[in-house]
Amino acid sequence: MVSERPKVQFETLTVHFGEHIALKDVTLDLRPNEILGIIGPAGSGKTTLLRALNRTLELTRDARIEGKVQLDGEDVYRAPSLPALRRRIGMVAPLPVGLPMSIYDNVAFAPRMAGVRSKTTLDGLVETCLVQAALWDEVKDRLADLGTKLSGGQQQRLTIARALSHEPEVLCLDEFSIAIDPVTTMRIEEVLKELSRRISILLVTNLVQQARRLAHRTAFLLMGELVEVGPTEGLFGRNPSDSRTFDYVHGMFG
Amino acid sequence: MAKGWSKTRAQVERAKERVIELAIAACGISAVVFVFAIIYFVFREAAPLLFGGLDIGQFLGSPEWYPDSVSNKRYGALALIAGTLSVTVLAMAIAVPFGLGAAIYVSEFSHGRTKEALKVVIELLAGVPSVVWGFIGLVVINPIIIDVFNTAVGLNVLNGAFLLGLMSVPIMVSIGEDALKAVPDTYREAAEAMGATKWQVTWRVLLPAARNGLLAAVLLGVGRAVGETMAVLMATGHAVHIPTSPLDSVRTMTATIAAELGETAKGSDHYRILFVLGALLFAITFVVNLVADVAIRGVRKR
């Protein structure tokens, strides 16, 4: 887990939205097979960080990005193919977005776009991903139903299944448990631990305890600045290197 | 004292609210009233003939339109109906790809100034009076068709359809663009985040999500084309004839009404038959709207 080249490197990353600064000079690594927790109050730039990695930030018109983001040592902003880059990164947004198509098609969307045509391959992939997202048992008999008809929590798991469908090397989760009940959350957390043997995970979360349960290391963002990053236990212990971290993780503010 | 004053004020407020409500309700109801009034007047003029002596089979089944004949008046509207349908269908074949394509380009692929400029120009296109379109058909497209297809006349189905197509494009673009704009951005971002290209996102996600609105856009275009009068009157050659090719001249129902109504005696059979034509036009647009409505409901239910 240590001494390898980082999977993802954010280097002096600064992001402006018009006049507003969303991220200020953030330098952060994600190591291979690591779950990196990212905590911080609302508006601290957590989501922006994820969107800078898969370059969906560019869909926001007035976003200005400075600094470097590297995936396996390659600058993502010089990637030869944007779709190919994005397929290497799974993204789970905080509010579930079931695309207006069947459950099956939702999960098969990305593989199809990448050119997978074989029905057997797709069937297998859809099942694996739905099982991993703890949704298979609930939907296996109605895969042809509209994805948008599922409940909020089910749709959220559908987006997780979808994010896994293109077999990403990095999985980004943005407050995935916001619409899910605690029991399902626990099931997915188990899946994440399992997945981290194979892939690297960026876990943005509002639940500091979730970071504590899952993350190998945790980064604390505050108003666009990286306050500190380190082994999770250190951050949650008695003496994090910054007093603001202590206040936040112990619920003094935020 | 103070209490009494505030009571009056409350009454005034309530009365004001009531007046505004009534005024708005009147505006809403007036639209319905106007529609029914139009239906009433059209049918009132048509009724004496429609229910007294008109051979419906001949009207709908015969292409012989001789309302002026002294010895043997014949009111067969088949050629006129065929004229309207042929021009409309060909117009849609031109307008739907261009209109929806333009809507997709404006909504999804163009940005900033290009986008704004395009929208302004397209709205400009919508503002061109139909007589000007007719004029273009007469002096610009007519010679082009004669040259390209080596025909004697260039005033035909193709000419009219081309004009009608261009005339329906603006409404399709603006309604179609609204429909695409109404698709939440989260769909775009979610699909793009999975590595779909811009076109894949458009084709697989946005078009299915917006299909109700896009269908409405197409049908509004159809309505525009069916009802258009002046441009087709000028550009389609004014020949009562069932077309067998796009290069045949035709005459549409609307053009017939416009051209002949002024020369009929009020209350005559000829006068009345034109209102029957009008009623038929009404029925056609009504059916188009109904089909659209049913289709949209069907889509929603799924």
Side-chain angles (χ1 to χ4, degrees):
Chain A
M1 208 172 88
V2 229
S3 85
E4 272 179 81
R5 185 175 60 183
K7 190 71 192 167
V8 176
Q9 281 173 291
F10 299 98
E11 264 181 62
T12 60
L13 180 68
T14 299
V15 177
H16 296 256
F17 292 115
E19 296 297 300
H20 173 72
I21 299 183
L23 280 178
K24 223 181 295 174
D25 208 17
V26 170
T27 298
L28 188 62
D29 291 347
L30 172 67
R31 297 170 186 161
N33 305 323
E34 168 182 59
I35 300 181
L36 176 65
I38 298 171
I39 58 173
S44 56
K46 309 187 294 290
T47 303
T48 306
L49 191 70
L50 299 188
R51 294 179 70 214
L53 173 60
N54 82 342
R55 291 183 57 182
T56 44
L57 208 50
E58 290 160 46
L59 297 175
T60 308
R61 293 255 84 209
D62 60 349
R64 225 169 55 244
I65 303 145
E66 290 154 27
K68 229 179 189 178
V69 184
Q70 291 179 310
L71 178 61
D72 280 339
E74 289 160 35
D75 188 346
V76 300
Y77 286 88
R78 297 208 181 131
S81 155
L82 194 51
L85 167 76
R86 285 178 177 158
R87 277 197 284 274
R88 297 171 63 189
I89 302 158
M91 183 67 75
V92 177
L95 289 175
V97 183
L99 292 176
M101 47 181 91
S102 76
I103 295 168
Y104 185 97
D105 290 342
N106 257 285
V107 184
F109 181 85
R112 276 185 182 144
M113 294 302 105
V116 178
R117 286 281 168 273
S118 148
K119 180 95 173 85
T120 13
T121 315
L122 285 175
D123 283 351
L125 208 58
V126 167
E127 178 168 350
T128 318
C129 295
L130 285 172
V131 166
Q132 284 181 338
L135 186 59
W136 176 251
D137 290 336
E138 289 162 55
V139 300
K140 63 182 174 203
D141 300 320
R142 49 182 179 124
L143 291 174
D145 282 10
L146 265 184
T148 40
K149 291 268 167 73
L150 294 173
S151 75
Q154 288 172 326
Q155 282 199 41
Q156 185 59 291
R157 282 175 280 155
L158 183 61
T159 53
I160 294 175
R162 240 170 30 195
L164 296 172
S165 68
H166 41 97
E167 295 170 332
E169 301 158 34
V170 179
L171 182 63
C172 300
L173 297 133
D174 194 353
E175 298 175 10
F176 76 89
S177 54
I178 216 165
I180 307 185
D181 66 275
V183 177
T184 313
T185 303
M186 287 302 162
R187 282 169 70 190
I188 293 173
E189 287 186 4
E190 290 309 310
V191 172
L192 294 181
K193 282 184 198 156
E194 189 64 35
L195 281 172
S196 70
R197 291 167 195 234
R198 290 191 283 121
I199 63 180
S200 318
I201 297 175
L202 269 172
L203 177 74
V204 164
T205 180
N206 259 340
L207 309 170
V208 281
Q209 292 309 321
Q210 187 170 60
R212 190 172 192 174
R213 283 194 297 270
L214 289 177
H216 302 115
R217 290 187 307 144
T218 297
F220 176 46
L221 283 177
L222 185 62
M223 300 175 56
E225 281 178 274
L226 178 66
V227 174
E228 71 173 291
V229 55
T232 302
E233 275 321 305
L235 242 78
F236 284 90
R238 268 172 192 285
N239 297 305
S241 44
D242 195 297
S243 64
R244 288 172 294 176
T245 314
F246 184 87
D247 290 349
Y248 184 72
V249 301
H250 291 93
M252 306 290 196
F253 80 95
Chain B
M1 194 58 200
K3 201 180 170 190
W5 177 81
S6 73
K7 205 172 162 188
T8 0
R9 200 166 104 144
Q11 276 169 344
V12 170
E13 285 290 314
R14 225 176 299 144
K16 216 163 85 183
E17 194 70 9
R18 189 95 192 102
V19 168
I20 292 173
E21 269 177 32
L22 281 175
I24 289 177
C27 295
I29 293 166
S30 70
V32 181
V33 171
F34 289 139
V35 169
F36 278 102
I38 291 169
I39 294 177
Y40 170 72
F41 287 118
V42 169
F43 276 87
R44 192 186 65 179
E45 298 304 313
L49 185 63
L50 191 57
F51 302 112
L54 179 67
D55 180 351
I56 301 277
Q58 189 198 42
F59 177 69
L60 292 176
S62 157
E64 300 196 351
W65 179 260
Y66 294 109
D68 291 330
S69 167
V70 183
S71 55
N72 183 14
K73 292 191 197 318
R74 275 154 293 167
Y75 302 115
L78 184 63
L80 308 179
I81 297 169
T84 290
L85 289 185
S86 60
V87 176
T88 303
V89 168
L90 192 58
M92 287 306 110
I94 295 168
V96 170
F98 276 97
L100 295 188
I104 291 168
Y105 180 72
V106 170
S107 165
E108 302 303 319
F109 290 88
S110 65
H111 297 293
R113 269 193 209 162
T114 328
K115 185 173 186 156
E116 293 312 312
L118 267 174
K119 285 169 84 165
V120 169
V121 172
I122 287 166
E123 252 140 58
L124 215 63
L125 202 62
V128 177
S130 63
V131 67
V132 173
W133 284 111
F135 172 75
I136 292 169
L138 218 51
V139 305
V140 180
I141 303 177
N142 183 21
I144 293 177
I145 291 180
I146 293 176
D147 269 4
V148 173
F149 296 99
N150 229 338
T151 52
V153 225
L155 300 175
N156 50 26
V157 175
L158 183 64
N159 194 334
F162 186 73
L163 298 180
L164 281 188
L166 286 181
M167 292 171 83
S168 350
V169 160
I171 193 163
M172 283 194 199
V173 176
S174 77
I175 306 281
E177 196 218 338
D178 286 347
L180 287 167
K181 221 167 34 188
V183 178
D185 274 341
T186 48
Y187 287 5
R188 294 177 179 85
E189 183 156 339
E192 282 208 32
M194 286 189 282
T197 63
K198 198 109 206 191
W199 173 244
Q200 286 172 329
V201 174
T202 307
W203 185 248
R204 300 296 179 118
V205 179
L206 301 183
L207 292 187
R211 70 186 147 192
N212 287 1
L214 296 176
L215 185 64
V218 169
L219 288 165
L220 278 170
V222 172
R224 175 98 167 90
V226 170
E228 173 49 40
T229 306
M230 188 48 78
V232 288
L233 175 66
M234 294 167 77
T236 54
H238 219 60
V240 181
H241 170 66
I242 295 179
T244 52
S245 107
L247 298 174
D248 284 357
S249 294
V250 291
R251 187 176 341 151
T252 64
M253 297 155 71
T254 50
T256 305
I257 297 174
E260 296 182 4
L261 191 58
E263 291 162 22
T264 60
K266 189 166 191 259
S268 67
D269 276 3
H270 188 186
Y271 171 87
R272 299 216 182 279
I273 195 74
L274 293 178
F275 277 93
V276 176
L277 267 185
L280 182 62
L281 265 176
F282 227 131
I284 291 174
T285 42
F286 181 74
V287 168
V288 167
N289 282 335
L290 200 69
V291 167
D293 212 45
V294 169
I296 287 170
R297 266 167 226 267
V299 170
R300 281 213 191 107
K301 253 185 214 147
R302 264 193 51 205

